[in-house]
Amino acid sequence: MRTDDFWAVIDRARAGGPADASAIAARAGAELAERDPAEIVGWSRHLDRVLAASQKADLWGAAYLINGGCSDEGFDAFRGWLLTQGRQVFAGAVAAPDGLADLPAVRQAALTGLEFAATEMLDVPAEAHRRATAAELPPPEQPVVRPDVADFWDFDDPDQVRDRLPRLAELFLEPPAE
């Protein structure tokens, strides 16, 4: 599956009704379930590649800061939510996670404590394949690779957060003591 085709499914799901992540995932899954099973598998493989490319320590740090903590599963769920924001937002967040500070939803979350997670978006291809074929989606060709924790910085250290994610730190951290 081509990158444009992958994101076109998400774009149509985003445009098709309510903007909450669950509704977007449901619409994407419904569209995929109508396709040939090979296309669903192709979409799934592309999702695997997109997720692998977003396995970045700084993006994980941004998710940790925004959501008030972030486990392995929490990072996956955060990226599921990020997928529902569309290609431009997703790519921008992978390239420069601190740019998430520009999103109105993230700015609002700094005030409300709202957390961002959409595991259902990650389940779209498996659910679509099950609906289309009554069979399980074939397993991924390659295992998911996580960033090496040795490459992480201390997400709980306010100085490191301010250094790596200054705009998000301004939204989510208390001002430094003087």
Side-chain angles (χ1 to χ4, degrees):
M1 173 162 289
R2 292 182 20 236
T3 298
D4 289 343
D5 297 333
F6 172 83
W7 286 106
V9 170
I10 295 172
D11 287 344
R12 284 188 294 274
R14 288 172 40 104
D20 67 276
S22 294
I24 292 169
R27 290 189 297 271
E31 177 180 334
L32 282 178
E34 297 296 321
R35 293 185 177 205
D36 183 83
E39 284 187 75
I40 299 169
V41 171
W43 199 90
S44 178
R45 298 302 176 252
H46 198 86
L47 175 63
D48 292 342
R49 288 190 296 277
V50 167
L51 293 174
S54 65
Q55 290 277 4
K56 309 277 185 181
D58 282 353
L59 183 59
W60 199 324
Y64 188 93
L65 184 60
I66 291 167
N67 281 352
C70 193
S71 65
D72 289 359
E73 294 81 17
F75 184 49
D76 291 342
F78 179 82
R79 290 179 299 147
W81 169 80
L82 203 52
L83 284 165
T84 69
Q85 303 307 295
R87 183 179 190 174
Q88 184 176 2
V89 171
F90 192 93
V94 172
D98 202 35
L100 288 166
D102 292 333
L103 292 181
V106 171
R107 297 183 75 74
Q108 187 66 29
L111 301 171
T112 64
L114 179 66
E115 294 182 14
F116 300 111
T119 56
E120 57 270 54
M121 194 64 195
L122 305 177
D123 296 334
V124 162
E127 293 295 326
H129 193 270
R130 214 174 285 119
R131 288 194 332 224
T133 66
E136 296 300 314
L137 185 68
E141 296 164 353
Q142 297 182 5
V144 173
V145 178
R146 296 259 179 218
D148 185 346
V149 293
D151 294 335
F152 282 22
W153 43 277
D154 186 352
F155 300 157
D156 289 317
D157 181 330
D159 293 330
Q160 288 187 42
V161 173
R162 284 185 185 88
D163 221 25
R164 292 189 176 255
L165 303 167
R167 296 172 59 221
L168 286 170
E170 187 177 316
L171 291 173
F172 288 93
L173 294 180
E174 297 291 322
E178 291 189 27

